[in-house]
Amino acid sequence: MIIVLRPDATDADLDHIVKKLRDLGLQAHISKGVERTLVGAIGDEAVLRSIPLEAFPGVENVLPILKPFKLASRDFRKENSIVRIGNVEVGAGRIAVIAGPCAVENRTLMVEIAKGVKEGGANLLRGGAFKPRTSPYAFQGLEEEGLKYLVEARERTGLPIVTEVMDPRDIQLIAEHADVLQIGARNMQNFRLLKDVGLCKKPVLLKRGISATIKEWLMSAEYIMAGGNHQVILCERGIRTYETETRNTLDLAAIPVLKKLTHLPVIVDPSHAVGKRDLVAPMAKAAVAAGADGLLIEVHANPEEALCDGEQSLKPAAFKQLMDDLRPIARAVGREI
Ligand code: PEP
Ligand code: MN
């Protein structure tokens, strides 16, 4: 249920409602908008229906949330949510660009690529230290050592770090080093992992599952938010279809669909969607034109030698060129980059 408070409702009215809900074992999520404060009351529907919420002081209206995802829904929060990472704001209008290699490979290369993407105009640095590889014989990532190289790259460039977490047992370690926790496509429905990052204070980049519907994806966001962590960024990275010319099929329509269904920021990863270097720029441009709040682009100084995803990685010069080419497109849709 959404409890809409009257503009003149007092803090005491709000506290009273929240206390009542929590005493009954329900969750109360407060959303303070420009005009109104809303309380999202979530939990057992029978218990919810048994309380005469309309009769509480300060309450204007009580509305059911019809969508299965509640906290993630636009019904719960009309304004766009902004996820803050250092001084980068995702969802506030300026396009946020995350760039870097698929995997952290060594210290020198990580720092070199970080400097390259910084110069090209990236706002956040990526690099996988724990890698979800299809083959158990493929490079699995440098793990803790990789996190240290990411931290060094952040110190040298000032760019906050985004890196993947695959296992609930690694959350604490990764959260001590990284600024954003990435949940990869293969783990979008790892509910234990979602619940545990939901208890964490770090922003989460939630990638769309390889064959997940938009509704399933939003339910995964709901898992994280239900734990109290509302700092979720959705990342469209292509879905599996019958088409084999591209690695996946980039679902650009997901951007405007999500903008209607949810208040969460939406970014696009054209690199994993297309899997081929020459297709990254056109799809990045299309994503910005379609209303994406950000991009995730794989960049490598020497893609031919990359240990992972070299075929889809841009060199730093091509990344810089793409950033320049994106500027007029961003402006045309009322944004900056
Ligand atoms: C990645 O970002 O390197 C990655 C493995 O992405 P995805 O989970 O989208 O395949
Ligand atoms: Mn990759």
Side-chain angles (χ1 to χ4, degrees):
M1 298 280 189
I2 297 177
I3 305 164
V4 184
L5 299 194
R6 293 208 315 253
D8 61 352
T10 64
D11 286 349
D13 294 338
L14 176 62
D15 292 346
H16 178 56
I17 295 164
V18 169
K19 181 170 185 314
K20 178 74 186 173
L21 293 170
R22 294 194 176 146
D23 285 350
L24 289 168
L26 301 164
Q27 289 185 23
H29 295 269
I30 300 160
S31 166
K32 289 203 172 170
V34 187
E35 291 169 20
R36 290 261 193 285
T37 294
L38 308 181
V39 182
I42 294 174
D44 188 323
E45 296 283 329
V47 177
L48 267 171
R49 272 193 302 271
S50 72
I51 335 167
L53 291 165
E54 284 91 347
F56 278 63
V59 172
E60 182 169 273
N61 204 356
V62 180
L63 308 162
I65 308 178
L66 298 173
K67 304 276 186 324
F69 44 89
K70 312 282 180 197
L71 301 171
S73 160
R74 269 272 179 221
D75 299 340
F76 173 58
R77 187 180 155 89
K78 298 273 174 276
E79 299 89 359
N80 291 329
S81 281
I82 298 171
V83 176
R84 294 188 173 81
I85 308 146
N87 49 23
V88 181
E89 292 188 329
V90 187
R94 180 173 273 274
I95 310 276
V97 181
I98 306 169
C102 183
V104 182
E105 297 179 18
N106 60 61
R107 171 188 279 130
T108 321
L109 199 53
M110 194 59 234
V111 172
E112 181 189 347
I113 299 171
K115 285 183 180 164
V117 300
K118 163 92 181 185
E119 208 182 301
N123 313 102
L124 299 144
L125 177 66
R126 65 151 283 147
F130 294 81
K131 291 303 303 175
R133 303 305 301 277
T134 302
S135 165
Y137 308 118
F139 175 58
Q140 303 286 307
L142 296 181
E143 305 193 340
E144 190 166 355
E145 188 188 344
L147 296 175
K148 295 202 165 32
Y149 300 155
L150 281 168
V151 168
E152 189 173 332
R154 176 177 59 202
E155 280 163 6
R156 304 279 287 269
T157 59
L159 295 176
I161 310 164
V162 182
T163 199
E164 179 159 352
V165 53
M166 295 198 296
D167 189 312
R169 291 169 294 186
D170 300 326
I171 294 176
Q172 201 189 335
L173 174 73
I174 297 176
E176 278 166 15
H177 293 80
D179 302 287
V180 179
L181 305 177
Q182 175 173 320
I183 303 283
R186 289 155 194 81
N187 272 314
M188 189 207 82
Q189 285 189 317
N190 180 340
F191 299 115
R192 180 61 201 249
L193 183 61
L194 299 174
K195 281 184 185 175
D196 286 1
V197 297
L199 300 174
C200 199
K201 302 270 181 286
K202 295 273 161 145
V204 178
L205 180 73
L206 178 65
K207 288 194 146 195
R208 182 177 186 176
I210 289 173
S211 46
T213 64
I214 290 174
K215 203 175 277 172
E216 286 165 341
W217 186 11
L218 289 170
M219 291 311 291
S220 292
E222 188 76 14
Y223 261 95
I224 301 170
M225 299 175 84
N229 187 351
H230 289 204
Q231 305 174 85
V232 179
I233 303 165
L234 300 166
C235 178
E236 161 64 37
R237 47 77 73 203
I239 47 174
R240 184 160 292 176
T241 67
Y242 54 80
E243 183 53 69
T244 55
E245 283 297 318
T246 49
R247 183 175 177 182
N248 292 289
T249 298
L250 182 59
D251 182 9
L252 280 174
I255 307 165
V257 169
L258 285 166
K259 287 284 161 195
K260 270 202 259 179
L261 294 177
T262 181
H263 51 87
L264 296 172
V266 181
I267 75 160
V268 170
D269 166 1
S271 305
H272 291 88
V274 296
K276 291 177 185 166
R277 186 172 311 128
D278 58 326
L279 302 179
V280 171
M283 296 322 281
K285 293 174 192 168
V288 169
D293 295 304
L295 293 169
L296 184 160
I297 311 277
E298 281 190 344
V299 177
H300 198 286
N302 193 3
E304 309 86 84
E305 311 244 314
L307 296 180
C308 183
D309 286 351
E311 7 16 321
Q312 68 196 32
S313 299
L314 302 185
K315 287 192 178 178
F319 170 70
K320 187 172 195 305
Q321 181 65 52
L322 171 60
M323 291 292 284
D324 291 343
D325 295 346
L326 285 170
R327 267 181 206 106
I329 299 171
R331 268 199 295 278
V333 292
R335 289 168 180 260
E336 289 297 322
I337 190 163

